[in-house]
Amino acid sequence: MYKYAFLLIVAALFTAPSAHALQAFACEPEWGSLLTELGGDTVQVDVGTSALQDVHVIEAKPSLIAKVRRADLVVCSGADLEVGWLPQLIKQAGNPKVASGPGYFLASDQITTLEKPSKLDRSEGDIHPQGNPHFQLDPYRVLAIAKALDARLAELDPPHAAQYRQRLADFTTRWTAAIGKWEAKAAPLKGRKVVVHHLSWVYLNTWLGLEQIGALEPKPGVPPTSAHLAGLVELAKNQHAFAILRAAYQDQKPGDWLSAQTGVPAVTLPFTVGGDAQAKDLFGLFDDTIDKLLAVAK
Ligand SMILES: [Zn+2]
């Protein structure tokens, strides 16, 4: 009898409902951070990649498959950014909750993308036919995605709908105030010219009024020719670029080389949450990105 009661208690301990109502898998750290902003302790978040990885090319490892298998919700950039690995993860995980329907959330479905090609031609390099998928550095698009994601959390977990609504309201207030602060601070950057490594800065450039005059990787995934690089050196010098932008995960050598040829500083930006010590969350990501740009804009 006592033994039986003891076993029941032990069983209860091990099957006690988790404090987390939802288990989420985020393909990239920015969406993991956004899920935490909106879900708090109610949503347990696994993040599939780090800021030091190139998310165009991720291996569908068993550890990632296990995380997708236990998820109620998968949140990814979309626009084909993860086309090389996400379909594989979902297939291998065999979890119908996230294969389609409300458990499958693509940020790109919530916004309009820039640089949508008018024609598809492989000679243009490894282009993204659904437009540029690197939109996490536009705070307005992040806000639009936050609203859609919050509605999705409420749809999947109705008992906490009021809590999600409250957290979105709180996030929106803090985020909108931060946008005002960032825009005021970054005003001196307007009209300044940059050279980029990969074509992943169009949203940041458009938001802050930076002008991209060239790219080390002129076609995504295609190595530059020496003629292209020579032209880029001339361009950066003649047009007075103030910075060469690259992400924390990228090879430093091409930017360092161009910097040595031109005297234009190469700036490593976090690109996403976790890209450096300051970019601890979405707010830190934007704070640090603008601080690093201003530091070389003098
Ligand atoms: Zn890309």
Side-chain angles (χ1 to χ4, degrees), residues 182-196:
W182 293 324
E183 289 179 347
K185 218 174 159 183
L189 299 172
K190 200 166 270 177
R192 301 293 301 269
K193 291 170 178 159
V194 293
V195 174
V196 301

Side-chain angles (χ1 to χ4, degrees), residues 54-56 81 126-128 131-134 198-200 217 220-221 249-250 271:
D54 180 351
V55 289
H56 303 84
L81 178 60
D126 192 12
I127 48 162
H128 299 297
N132 192 307
H134 306 293
H198 176 64
L199 299 172
S200 46
E217 201 185 275
Y249 75 85
Q250 276 160 342
F271 193 54

Side-chain angles (χ1 to χ4, degrees), residues 223-234:
T225 62
S226 49
H228 172 75
L229 291 175
L232 204 53
V233 169
E234 287 314 303

